[in-house]
Amino acid sequence: MYWILKENDKIKNYPSTSDIPEGIDMLDYFSGISIPSSREPVNMTLKSGSSDFRGHIMGGMLLLFHKKLLLMLQDFGVDKVQYRPVHLLNPDTNKSEYDYFLVNIVGLIKCVKGYDHNAKPLDRPTSLEKFTIDPEKAGDAAIFRLAESPRLVIINDELKNYLVDNGLSGAILCETDEYTIL
């Protein structure tokens, strides 16, 4: 079984970022390519009005993981995640936070059953709903982005159970065959 891992945007005023940092190409973070690592913090700003709640995942234009989630992934043995520290400014308090990292999940996997990769681009779906992952094509990847819809982060059942057992918070886990956009 496979799951979509995303921020819990159902929480009122869920914290998210409002910008794409200078020097960051958003498409690099959705393409699956390896990005040169840097320990230099990326400056980002929370959306004004964001709640004080801080979960393990923060959304917006780019994906941020809390340091605790990165440690969970490392402990599980995930090695296809690159990350860069974030200097996160809260515009409502003018205080900075340093517990989040900009995340790049390396590698896109073509593994949605029934998806016609040979179709003309305009004949392909613009988004995926209620889809099934082909486990042979996904291989042993515990976390990955779909080539068919790179904005979605997919995790396998073992990683999902590990994260839940270790206190994952502020996230939605949805089975891929139950996923709807709304």
Side-chain angles (χ1 to χ4, degrees):
M1 187 172 307
Y2 292 89
W3 302 79
I4 294 171
L5 172 67
K6 63 182 275 300
E7 74 278 2
N8 186 348
D9 54 4
K10 306 288 187 223
I11 296 171
K12 185 178 180 180
N13 299 322
Y14 190 85
S16 62
T17 57
S18 61
D19 56 350
I20 298 173
E22 187 175 318
I24 298 292
D25 184 346
M26 185 174 87
L27 295 179
D28 287 348
Y29 286 82
F30 290 99
S31 68
I33 65 171
S34 182
I35 298 171
S37 65
S38 173
R39 293 186 180 178
E40 184 69 29
V42 176
N43 294 316
M44 297 183 80
T45 305
L46 280 173
K47 281 188 180 176
S48 184
S50 289
S51 75
D52 291 336
F53 175 81
R54 297 292 181 267
H56 288 133
I57 299 175
M58 191 177 298
M61 299 299 288
L62 295 165
L63 185 63
L64 303 182
F65 283 179
H66 191 276
K67 66 182 176 184
K68 290 179 183 176
L69 178 54
L70 287 177
L71 289 172
M72 284 189 259
L73 293 173
Q74 289 172 355
D75 289 346
F76 187 80
V78 169
D79 61 358
K80 296 288 185 186
V81 175
Q82 297 175 315
Y83 50 91
R84 187 168 172 188
V86 171
H87 170 204
L88 190 61
L89 177 66
N90 184 332
D92 299 330
T93 64
N94 210 29
K95 292 184 179 177
S96 295
E97 300 175 32
Y98 300 94
D99 291 335
Y100 286 91
F101 292 80
L102 179 59
V103 173
N104 178 39
I105 299 169
V106 179
L108 298 177
I109 300 177
K110 293 180 182 179
C111 59
V112 174
K113 284 186 179 179
Y115 190 91
D116 185 2
H117 293 277
N118 296 318
K120 295 177 185 174
L122 293 176
D123 292 335
R124 296 180 196 156
T126 55
S127 61
L128 294 176
E129 292 189 322
K130 298 183 179 183
F131 58 93
T132 304
I133 300 294
D134 182 335
E136 287 186 22
K137 291 181 180 176
D140 63 354
I143 186 170
F144 57 95
R145 289 190 186 270
L146 293 174
E148 298 87 348
S149 185
R151 66 182 174 73
L152 297 177
V153 175
I154 308 298
I155 62 173
N156 67 16
D157 217 25
E158 293 80 16
L159 179 56
K160 177 254 185 197
N161 292 334
Y162 181 82
L163 295 176
V164 169
D165 290 347
N166 283 279
L168 179 68
S169 72
I172 291 176
L173 293 163
C174 178
E175 292 179 53
T176 59
D177 58 359
E178 305 238 338
Y179 175 72
T180 58
I181 293 173
L182 298 176

